[in-house]
Amino acid sequence: MAILDDLSGYEFEDLMEDVFRHLGYENVRQSRRTADEGRDILMEEVVDGSRRAVVVECKHTETVSRPVIQKLHSTVATYDYDGPVRGMVVTTGRFTAPAREYAQDLGARRDGGVELLDGADLREIGEEIGMDLYNGRIEILCEEALRPTNPTCGRDAPVFEASREIENLEPAMIPTPETTVSLEPMVTVHTRTNATFETSVGVVHQVDESDDLVIRAEGDTPRIETGDVKQLVANPSAPRIDLEDRNLEETFDAVERRRFGRTETTYKQWAIDRLQQVHTTTVQYTGGNNVDYEKTCTPRPSDISIWSIDPVYVPHVRSRVSLGEYEYRYGHYAAGPSRATTTNEFRQCVHCGADGANETYTYCTNCGSINCDDHIETERLVGEPVCTGCAVTERFAFDTKYFYDRENLEAFREEYAEMPIHEKAKENVTLAAGTALCLLFAAFLVVLSLGLV
């Protein structure tokens, strides 16, 4: 294990904290370094449905002798925990024969016993969980992705669902979309912050909160995800698939798998730093001398427990559809039947870009455009929607009429020429209504002059 020799004792503890978390232990955290008392790492395990505490001593030395085991055994016996407790000693070196004999008598896995892990054991564990011994960190090895499709629907179901909201656009009009998926790395860090702040007058502030931080883990700069994407990723029951699933390549036109930008150790530390900022607050209190004071309360790193770190690839599904002269994109993050929409150009006017959620949008079969109410009209000859962008226009009875093309315009000209005058007037609703009102008023005047009212 010479490769680990460059690590300091504290760095070795950081490394082992990640190792234990990968091995399935829960509530893994380091004891305060200012008051170690022989406890480097504290954690919990579930055995036959019962929770048990594990007290770990980390020794970054060539040999570990019997007194170290005896001291940890005493610590285990006096550890304040509501349940069974056992111990563990981990070293990059080796244990002496008396140390092994003493631990064997105590029992490695039973309550009150002490388990020993030496350098050779660590090498085997490293190969099992992907521990990079060359830099003493846990590289993220993730073989799972959230399910990119709804198992009860086809790959393109979200596109067809989005199209149903568009007036005059039938699903049968939509060709098969070109759909790709990008597997984007994210990490969910499950944490608990438990901190108490005291002064001479007693406790002035407390924090006891659990947080799930969903971190976008691509590139050099981690970024917190919120909203719908966070809900998808942090949902423990979200369906997953193995990255080796052949259906992934067969289902989509292209699959891209992006890399995790940092190591798990980095994301853990970043989450701790972030939670220190989030939970920092300034409180006011009155001292025993009746003088008002302020205290800025910032949790210490030891106040923040990292319960687990869950890396996963999140499918970003992107579809592209060609309709007439236009191309539309629909994108979403997927987790089986659940999704978070990222792009929806079906609800966006191609002429003005309006994308109000409560707006009505209408499809123009003449050119393939999707339009808001301000850019859609009724084609005069056939009575179907036509957009203001492609329509041929001409004024009749002082009112603008819209046509698919010049052929339809010429056909209507012939109809218009044969219309009686009162029919032509109806081509301008406002004018026709005004004319009718004038005739009605004239008739009223005649009746009034005859003394009939």
Side-chain angles (χ1 to χ4, degrees):
M1 299 296 288
I3 295 170
L4 288 176
D5 287 346
D6 291 338
L7 297 178
S8 70
Y10 289 159
E11 290 171 334
F12 179 56
E13 291 173 18
D14 290 339
L15 170 64
M16 292 312 303
E17 184 180 349
D18 287 336
V19 169
F20 290 131
R21 195 173 294 113
H22 262 266
L23 289 173
Y25 293 95
E26 299 179 356
N27 195 18
V28 183
R29 73 276 189 198
Q30 295 182 32
S31 60
R32 298 177 182 176
R33 292 170 177 169
T34 55
D36 187 6
E37 298 180 357
R39 299 191 304 270
D40 293 322
I41 295 176
L42 306 175
M43 57 191 187
E44 298 174 3
E45 62 183 353
V46 177
V47 181
D48 297 330
S50 299
R51 188 169 293 275
R52 178 169 62 183
V54 183
V55 182
V56 184
E57 174 85 5
C58 295
K59 286 297 182 183
H60 191 36
T61 57
E62 291 186 5
T63 59
V64 177
S65 58
R66 174 174 173 155
V68 174
I69 315 302
Q70 291 175 315
K71 179 181 178 183
L72 180 63
H73 181 224
S74 297
T75 300
V76 168
T78 59
Y79 183 52
D80 185 14
Y81 184 77
D82 186 16
V85 183
R86 73 178 181 93
M88 184 186 298
V89 178
V90 182
T91 180
T92 54
R94 64 181 182 83
F95 295 98
T96 64
R100 289 189 176 278
E101 291 174 2
Y102 187 81
Q104 185 175 1
D105 291 339
L106 295 175
R109 288 276 181 171
R110 67 177 181 230
D111 299 341
V114 176
E115 181 180 5
L116 305 183
L117 295 177
D118 62 13
D121 296 322
L122 292 184
R123 183 179 296 279
E124 292 181 5
I125 291 172
E127 293 175 355
E128 176 185 342
I129 66 175
M131 181 170 64
D132 182 358
L133 300 179
Y134 289 93
N135 61 20
R137 295 179 295 183
I138 300 297
E139 302 294 344
I140 291 181
L141 299 178
C142 179
E143 300 300 330
E144 286 188 323
L146 299 182
R147 180 178 290 278
T149 59
N150 186 336
T152 62
C153 302
R155 177 195 74 173
D156 302 316
V159 174
F160 290 107
E161 184 176 325
S163 70
R164 292 191 187 98
E165 301 179 357
I166 309 305
E167 300 288 336
N168 200 44
L169 178 59
E170 299 296 330
M173 300 178 181
I174 301 176
T176 300
E178 177 186 341
T179 301
T180 63
V181 62
S182 175
L183 300 177
E184 300 182 1
M186 296 193 192
V187 174
T188 302
V189 184
H190 304 283
T191 72
R192 181 185 178 189
T193 304
N194 191 336
T196 300
F197 302 91
E198 297 182 78
T199 69
S200 59
V201 298
V203 175
V204 296
H205 183 60
Q206 285 184 302
V207 178
D208 188 3
E209 292 188 22
S210 297
D211 298 280
D212 288 340
L213 300 183
V214 174
I215 303 173
R216 180 175 290 277
E218 182 182 356
D220 292 333
T221 305
R223 189 172 79 246
I224 290 289
E225 282 290 348
T226 59
D228 293 341
V229 176
K230 176 183 178 180
Q231 297 302 318
L232 284 182
V233 180
N235 180 6
S237 61
R240 299 190 176 196
I241 63 168
D242 193 302
L243 290 182
E244 300 302 319
D245 190 335
R246 294 183 58 184
N247 289 331
L248 193 62
E249 298 285 347
E250 296 172 356
T251 300
F252 295 93
D253 297 308
V255 178
E256 177 191 14
R257 178 177 172 183
R258 301 183 182 179
R259 298 185 62 181
F260 285 85
R262 299 293 189 92
T263 65
E264 193 168 294
T265 303
T266 303
Y267 293 119
K268 178 197 74 174
Q269 188 57 53
W270 190 84
I272 291 174
D273 293 343
R274 177 71 179 233
L275 289 171
Q276 282 186 283
Q277 298 172 18
V278 168
H279 293 301
T280 293
T281 186
T282 299
V283 298
Q284 288 80 36
Y285 67 95
T286 302
N289 54 1
N290 291 325
V291 176
D292 293 333
Y293 296 93
E294 284 189 348
K295 179 180 177 61
T296 298
C297 303
T298 301
R300 294 166 296 196
S302 59
D303 294 327
I304 301 172
S305 300
I306 306 298
W307 283 83
S308 64
I309 298 177
D310 180 22
V312 70
Y313 287 99
V314 181
H316 194 175
V317 182
R318 295 180 175 93
S319 298
R320 183 173 61 183
V321 178
S322 294
L323 294 173
E325 302 172 13
Y326 295 88
E327 189 173 83
Y328 301 93
R329 289 176 171 80
Y330 182 86
H332 65 283
Y333 285 107
S338 303
R339 66 177 184 268
T341 301
T342 56
T343 305
N344 185 2
E345 293 183 352
F346 288 98
R347 294 194 61 82
Q348 182 175 334
C349 178
V350 302
H351 298 295
C352 67
D355 59 357
N358 297 321
E359 298 291 334
T360 298
Y361 295 89
T362 306
Y363 178 65
C364 172
T365 57
N366 195 47
C367 68
S369 63
I370 293 176
N371 310 271
C372 67
D373 288 343
D374 291 338
H375 293 91
I376 198 74
E377 299 290 342
T378 300
E379 212 272 2
R380 177 58 186 84
L381 190 67
V382 299
E384 296 294 331
V386 64
C387 75
T388 58
C390 71
V392 176
T393 62
E394 189 165 310
R395 293 177 69 82
F396 293 87
F398 305 105
D399 187 40
T400 300
K401 302 297 178 183
Y402 298 83
F403 304 92
Y404 283 150
D405 48 35
R406 297 206 67 81
E407 184 178 345
N408 279 20
L409 169 59
E410 293 298 334
F412 181 73
R413 278 178 179 167
E414 295 178 5
E415 289 186 12
Y416 186 78
E418 298 177 0
M419 288 181 184
I421 188 65
H422 69 278
E423 289 292 335
K424 290 181 177 179
K426 292 180 181 179
E427 291 301 319
N428 188 324
V429 177
T430 303
L431 180 62
T435 301
L437 183 61
C438 289
L439 292 174
L440 181 61
F441 184 67
F444 175 74
L445 291 178
V446 170
V447 172
L448 184 64
S449 66
L450 295 175
L452 299 179
V453 295

